[in-house]
């Protein structure tokens, strides 16, 4: 007994049931006698499955179908959208997700080698954790911290007094709100804004950054805002300063003296139960007042270390609470590894899976082979925003490339979808591929796409950026591309390289967009 707790010893403790399970499964296949503790306070499967990428993309596909149907008349097809069964859309998503969750839960619970703790865990000393609701402490010489993240809740006056949603809770919604205000201007806001507007909600997005989708290229963000604003209201550079529930129905003096007082009463009754959002422009100070039936807080995600207490295990965290790792993904405590969202770098599932492979090698395989550890490498981490239009990017942005190499040492290529035969057939306008390369050897530094299938088209560039030798545009230029196909727009982008200032002129001339 220690700390009044029974002690259980394990070969491995894994906190999190997302990408860490890839390593657990691989280790058990190699050594069926290992004793493993797997801990997750949430439903098993990790954030991506339970409340992140997968459920949101199951929702976004119907939204994409609706947006496509709405364009049918451009092609001489007379279609009318009669009904959207929002409840069925949500139930379909939950059915698929719950099937996966149940399968993972059963696998964990039935494994003879795994003790599955569906509880909160916290460190009590190095290599030792207490599991909540169990009179037990667990200990292992190897620990994986794949603890995920949680929604950031900004300190907005009145927020604690109203009901609101986050990306964690929005998936439980069954009734389509007549209107929804989204606090935040990043990819979560863009994707859920697209989803709810397609379903039929009146959507207002309020972001504090001057740029909508601040992590994208300025011209891509501007074009995305312009396109999405056809279906919703997007307000940028504005701080939400207060939120309230509209509960009263008291008439004003003007209403009492008005011959239209009955209609005013009806209007106030309709407003009852809605939320009032007050935002202030960060430059002018001008206030904007928005009413909405529902509020979605999409202000980013933060660490879970406040409940883990890594400091008790002498595991360092940064000023924001993310777990600090070295270039091999090992924490300040030897043989304790942190990856995925836990280390606060690139919160993407594909990045977490990539890091899991690296940790498996560094923590397990290289010891057997007596090899050196392998360093993490984030030179080409791709991402996508599944809005309408879709956005994808990899590597450096223009601003980063200019800062690193200078204006005379980079070239930028651009090609429009509409300048390919397939793009013309699809009636695509104002969407493009942008590629950034070094001027001396044409090595690809980064690429950015806005338009249909952006997340698919960018993979051709991602693959080139991961080759060991030829990371230039040459393979794309020399390879046959099916004609007519959208992949030709990628080839055309790398065959139209130009200096940055010339690219800026093209963007201004063809799109009416400026680059800050």
């Amino acid at each position: 007994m220690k700390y009044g707790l029974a002690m259980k010893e394990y070969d491995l403790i894994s906190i999190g049931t997302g990408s860490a399970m890839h390593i657990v499964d691989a280790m058990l296949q190699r050594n069926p006698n290992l004793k493993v503790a797997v801990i997750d306070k949430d439903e098993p499967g990790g954030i991506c499955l339970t409340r992140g990428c997968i459920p949101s993309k199951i929702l976004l596909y119907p939204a994409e179908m609706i947006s496509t149907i709405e364009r049918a008349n451009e092609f001489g097809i007379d279609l009318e959208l009669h009904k959207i069964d929002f409840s069925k859309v949500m139930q379909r998503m939950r059915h698929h997700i719950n099937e996966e969750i149940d399968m993972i839960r059963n696998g964990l619970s039935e494994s003879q080698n795994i003790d599955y703790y569906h509880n909160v865990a916290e460190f009590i000393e190095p290599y030792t954790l207490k599991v909540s609701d169990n009179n037990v402490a667990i200990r292992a010489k190897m620990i994986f911290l794949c603890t995920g993240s949680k929604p950031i809740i900004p300190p907005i006056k009145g927020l604690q007094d109203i009901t609101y949603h986050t990306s964690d809770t929005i998936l439980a919604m069954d009734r389509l709100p007549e209107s929804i205000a989204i606090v935040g201007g990043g990819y979560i806001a863009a994707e859920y804004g697209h989803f709810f507007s397609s379903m039929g909600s009146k959507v207002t997005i309020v972001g504090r950054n001057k740029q909508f989708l601040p992590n994208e290229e300025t011209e891509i963000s501007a074009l995305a805002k312009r396109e999405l604003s056809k279906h919703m209201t997007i307000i940028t550079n504005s701080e939400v300063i207060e939120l309230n529930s509209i509960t009263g129905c008291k008439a004003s003096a003007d209403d009492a003296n008005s011959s239209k007082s009955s209609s005013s009463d009806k209007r106030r009754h309709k407003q009852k139960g809605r939320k009032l959002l007050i935002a202030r422009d960060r430059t002018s100070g001008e206030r904007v007042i928005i009413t909405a039936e529902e509020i979605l807080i999409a202000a980013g995600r933060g660490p879970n270390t406040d409940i883990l207490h890594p400091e008790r295990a002498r595991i360092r965290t940064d000023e924001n609470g993310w777990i600090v790792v070295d270039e091999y993904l090992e924490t300040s405590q030897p043989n304790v590894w942190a990856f995925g969202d836990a280390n606060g770098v690139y919160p993407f599932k594909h990045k977490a899976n990539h890091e899991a492979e690296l940790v498996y090698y560094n923590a397990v395989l290289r010891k057997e082979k007596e090899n050196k550890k392998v360093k993490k490498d984030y030179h080409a981490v791709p991402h996508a925003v599944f809005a309408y239009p879709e956005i994808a990017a990899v590597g450096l942005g223009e601003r980063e490339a200019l800062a690193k190499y200078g204006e005379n040492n980079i070239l930028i290529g651009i090609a429009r979808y509409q300048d390919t035969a397939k793009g013309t057939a699809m009636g695509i306008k104002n969407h493009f591929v942008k590629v950034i390369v070094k001027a001396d050897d044409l090595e690809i530094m980064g690429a950015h796409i806005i338009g249909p299938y952006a997340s698919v088209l960018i993979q051709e560039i991602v693959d080139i950026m991961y080759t060991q030798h030829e990371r230039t545009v040459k393979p794309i230029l020399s390879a046959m591309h099916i004609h007519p196909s959208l992949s030709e727009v990628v080839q055309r982008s790398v065959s139209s390289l130009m200096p940055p200032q010339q690219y800026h002129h093209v963007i201004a001339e063809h799109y009416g967009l400026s680059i800050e």
Side-chain angles (χ1 to χ4, degrees), residues 211 213-221 381-383 390-401 412-415 417 431-437 444-451 454-455 457-458 461-462 465 489-490 493-494 503 507:
Q211 179 178 313
L213 293 171
N215 293 327
E216 307 303 328
E217 299 291 84
T218 56
E219 67 274 29
I220 284 180
S221 294
V381 179
H383 72 269
E390 193 171 288
I391 296 168
V394 64
L396 299 182
E398 180 181 342
R399 189 176 302 170
E400 297 167 302
I412 300 176
I414 182 172
Y417 279 63
H431 297 156
F432 62 90
V433 174
K434 173 184 182 179
V435 63
I436 304 166
V437 307
I444 301 173
M445 295 291 100
H448 309 265
I449 305 177
I450 180 168
S455 60
L457 292 175
I458 204 162
I461 297 172
V462 175
M465 294 179 73
V489 75
V490 176
S493 72
V494 300
Y503 168 77
I507 283 292

Side-chain angles (χ1 to χ4, degrees), residues 305-319:
T305 45
D306 55 330
I307 57 176
L308 182 64
H309 296 292
E311 71 280 357
R312 297 174 185 168
R314 294 195 288 274
I315 297 170
R316 288 181 53 226
T317 57
D318 66 16
E319 63 275 11

